[in-house]
Amino acid sequence: YFDREAMVTAALYAYVEASGDPYAEFLTAADYAEYMKSNAGESEGIGVMVSAANVTANGKKTGALQIVAVTENSPAEEADLRPGDYIVETLDETTGKWFSLPVTSSASFVSDYYTMLDMVKGAPDSQTHLHILRPSGGGFLDFPDVAVTRKAIDAKSVYWQISTTDPSVGIIRLTEFNLNTPLQFKDG
């Protein structure tokens, strides 16, 4: 017996990966629903944007989620997570064991990547535990168990302020484009 749906999904992931297009990505129906939810400015979790990465620390190469942006006033910001940090492991709440990613060229990387993302995300007021590596001076600072309490994330994408040197100048900063960005820009 084999799971036909799992085989087709794996084949589609592999097909898109083999295309060599760095902007192409296969999304399952569940992945697409999550993408549309986040594109609408709605999400739950710790408030980070991540990308897939490989990192070598202490002679060991592993896959990781590299933090590329931290949402202001988010649990990640409160836990002092920063762009450039690597999430190399997360505690699996169901097994109580640490979960890590294989290197990005591994056949199981894509499914493991989404598994790890799901572990980082979660219901508001629940906690996730992360193993963080922070680049520092050619090496890494190691934070083996960073506890972060998840919450509903206000995906504010437009920030504005009046210039401190010239009060006739307004400064608008866009952190991402989602469905709420035009409204937030108009209100700013």
Side-chain angles (χ1 to χ4, degrees):
Y1 173 78
F2 63 93
D3 184 340
R4 178 174 162 69
E5 184 176 341
M7 288 182 67
V8 169
T9 299
L12 290 170
Y13 274 123
Y15 181 80
V16 172
E17 180 70 24
S19 74
D21 182 345
Y23 303 105
E25 184 173 357
F26 172 74
L27 300 175
T28 64
D31 295 338
Y32 180 74
E34 185 64 32
Y35 169 77
M36 291 306 292
K37 184 177 176 183
S38 68
N39 196 37
E42 305 167 8
S43 65
E44 296 172 343
I46 65 170
V48 293
M49 293 176 63
V50 298
S51 67
N54 288 322
V55 62
T56 302
N58 301 325
K60 180 183 174 193
K61 184 175 183 178
T62 185
L65 302 178
Q66 183 175 23
I67 298 175
V68 295
V70 176
T71 304
E72 288 187 24
N73 302 315
S74 68
E77 184 180 65
E78 293 166 11
D80 195 32
L81 299 182
R82 303 174 188 173
D85 286 354
Y86 293 94
I87 302 171
V88 292
E89 292 180 306
T90 185
L91 190 62
D92 184 335
E93 296 168 18
T94 58
T95 66
K97 295 181 181 180
W98 287 93
F99 180 84
S100 60
L101 291 174
V103 294
T104 57
S105 59
S106 167
S108 69
F109 179 79
V110 172
S111 64
D112 288 345
Y113 173 82
Y114 285 105
T115 298
M116 185 177 254
L117 280 180
D118 288 342
M119 289 180 190
V120 173
K121 296 176 184 178
D125 300 321
S126 64
Q127 208 172 55
T128 185
H129 293 263
L130 309 172
H131 182 177
I132 303 293
L133 293 179
R134 176 170 295 151
S136 176
F140 292 95
L141 298 176
D142 191 358
F143 303 96
D145 188 359
V146 177
V148 185
T149 302
R150 303 172 182 109
K151 71 177 188 179
I153 304 299
D154 175 19
K156 186 174 178 184
S157 59
V158 180
Y159 297 88
W160 64 274
Q161 67 184 40
I162 302 298
S163 172
T164 56
T165 57
D166 183 352
S168 68
V169 175
I171 301 168
I172 298 175
R173 182 170 56 100
L174 301 175
T175 58
E176 69 176 296
F177 290 97
N178 63 43
L179 295 175
N180 292 329
T181 301
L183 283 172
Q184 291 177 16
F185 186 85
K186 182 180 174 187
D187 292 343

